[in-house]
Amino acid sequence: MTEEFLGFVHRFVPAQTSDAPTLLLLHGTGGDENDLLPVGRMLNERAALLSPRGKILEHGMPRFFRRLAEGVFDHEDLMDRTHELAGFVDRAVDEYDIDQRRLFAVGFSNGANVAASLLLTYPRLLVGAILLRAMVPFEPDKTPDLSRIPVYLAAGRSDQMVPPENTERLAQVLREAGADVTLDWQPGGHGIGPAEIQAARKWFADRIFG
Ligand code: MLT
């Protein structure tokens, strides 16, 4: 659908079976609602896929919130956009009859950052997340309760965009909130490859069936 519906341009692909998870797919800068559909399918072949397009345009490239420079976020906009995205998820849950007890976020880069912001701001919205090349979206004033929420953080050892200490800090923030964090260091940079998706797939299968 190329028009806004429920507040965002998005794609929704129904689940193959009624007990399948739903993946909220959040693309990186310059991506759109179609980008992560194949990744979602690789992660789980039966899952429902809910994939919105970020509303901010940076030189024509969609994003989920404004930034002032690379890796420097506009925190006010990040908050506004996080609330807006959570509202979309709530409406989509009703519209598409999504079982929120099986709703996971999968984000890449800017999408992973907004997914981390959703986790920290709305700790009961999602039951887990796969964050590919995420950064600390903001330092929470109050520690949210993310107890038992599984989070897979896939980071690149030679990522030019995300310094390793930023990834470590994100893992620490999530762990302090009680999340069950798996930090997976990959040899590559900011891009992700099929081997990495396979590792995330295995982690995900262990979490939903294990
Ligand atoms: C961001 O702006 O969210 C990060 O710098 C990652 C990206 O380039 O999208």
Side-chain angles (χ1 to χ4, degrees):
M1 178 176 329
T2 53
E3 276 171 30
E4 275 189 25
F5 175 54
L6 311 175
F8 275 76
V9 173
H10 68 276
R11 296 275 305 268
F12 178 71
V13 182
Q16 309 289 310
T17 54
S18 59
D19 61 346
T22 297
L23 303 179
L24 171 65
L25 302 174
L26 301 164
H27 62 78
T29 302
D32 68 19
E33 66 280 14
N34 299 307
D35 257 39
L36 292 183
L37 295 175
V39 171
R41 220 5 108 237
M42 278 190 259
L43 289 171
N44 185 279
E45 54 282 344
R46 293 179 308 129
L49 306 175
L50 175 64
S51 189
R53 184 194 302 173
K55 288 188 172 187
I56 296 297
L57 285 181
E58 186 185 88
H59 308 299
M61 296 187 295
R63 290 176 50 84
F64 285 96
F65 57 88
R66 269 180 237 287
R67 63 180 164 182
L68 307 174
E70 202 168 275
V72 184
F73 303 150
D74 175 336
H75 283 110
E76 199 180 315
D77 188 65
L78 170 59
M79 258 320 114
D80 291 348
R81 301 295 169 179
T82 301
H83 296 317
E84 188 182 38
L85 186 57
F88 163 74
V89 172
D90 279 344
R91 290 189 290 279
V93 162
D94 287 346
E95 175 72 23
Y96 299 123
D97 209 10
I98 291 168
D99 181 352
Q100 224 171 326
R101 292 166 308 174
R102 297 191 181 88
L103 175 59
F104 293 77
V106 177
F108 168 63
S109 191
N110 180 246
N113 298 341
V114 82
S117 184
L118 277 178
L119 283 172
L120 296 173
T121 314
Y122 291 93
R124 302 262 72 83
L125 186 75
L126 303 161
V127 297
I130 294 176
L131 306 181
L132 309 166
R133 307 299 186 266
M135 300 177 71
V136 179
F138 63 90
E139 289 283 343
D141 294 333
K142 229 174 65 201
T143 305
D145 180 8
L146 291 171
S147 25
R148 292 180 301 282
I149 300 277
V151 180
Y152 182 78
L153 271 185
R157 283 243 174 259
S158 47
D159 192 331
Q160 302 294 312
M161 194 108 69
V162 185
E165 56 277 13
N166 190 301
T167 302
E168 297 285 2
R169 176 68 191 143
L170 177 58
Q172 187 184 23
V173 166
L174 293 169
R175 283 187 180 127
E176 278 167 10
D180 172 13
V181 178
T182 302
L183 176 51
D184 185 3
W185 284 104
Q186 300 284 331
H190 200 66
I192 47 169
E196 196 165 336
I197 302 298
Q198 283 310 316
R201 177 188 164 86
K202 182 172 180 328
W203 175 90
F204 189 51
D206 291 347
R207 290 303 168 297
I208 54 173
F209 306 119

